[in-house]
Structures are given as C-alpha cells and as structure tokens.
Amino acid sequence: MILTLLGFALIALGVAGVRYAPAIVAAQHRQGMAPLGDDDGTDLEDADRVRVTKGAGVVLVVVGLVSVAYGSSLI
C-alpha cells in the first residue's frame, strides 16, 4: 500500500518536472542558482539544463510506474 502511494507521488513529481522544466530553470536563474561550470569558464546552456530536468522527471515517472506495479502485485 505504501509502495503504491509512493509510486503515485513519484509519478506526479516526474510529470510536473517534465511539464514545468523551463519554468524550473527560469526560477533557478531568478534565485541565483548558477550551474557548475568547467574550468575554462563555460557554463551549461539553458537548453541543456531543461533537457536534464526533463530527463530526471522521466526517470521519476519510470521508477514510480515500477513502484506502482510492484505495490499492486502486477510484477
């Protein structure tokens, strides 16, 4: 039961991360949360940061789906 609820929470967070990735990156800029750069002074581009945020959301959705399936005895 708890595993299923945790899975649904992970799915919700993952979908929100995929949907609002550009807004999340913009909010990070407003808060002064600069990404780590290389030694030569180059920083990650915004498009790369959005892509990574969406990727993390997809991972959360997949882990959530597996958690829901396992919690409901499907696998």
Side-chain angles (χ1 to χ4, degrees):
M1 176 72 174
I2 292 175
L3 193 59
T4 305
L5 292 175
L6 176 67
F8 283 127
L10 288 174
I11 291 170
L13 287 173
V15 169
V18 170
R19 171 69 176 95
Y20 296 110
I24 292 169
V25 171
Q28 289 172 348
H29 279 296
R30 284 194 306 270
Q31 297 293 325
M33 300 169 77
L36 295 176
D38 295 335
D39 291 336
D40 60 356
T42 59
D43 289 332
L44 293 172
E45 298 293 326
D46 284 346
D48 294 334
R49 294 178 73 189
V50 169
R51 191 176 312 124
V52 168
T53 304
K54 285 183 178 184
V58 168
V59 168
L60 283 176
V61 168
V62 169
V63 170
L65 287 172
V66 170
S67 177
V68 167
Y70 186 75
S72 62
S73 300
L74 294 176
I75 54 173

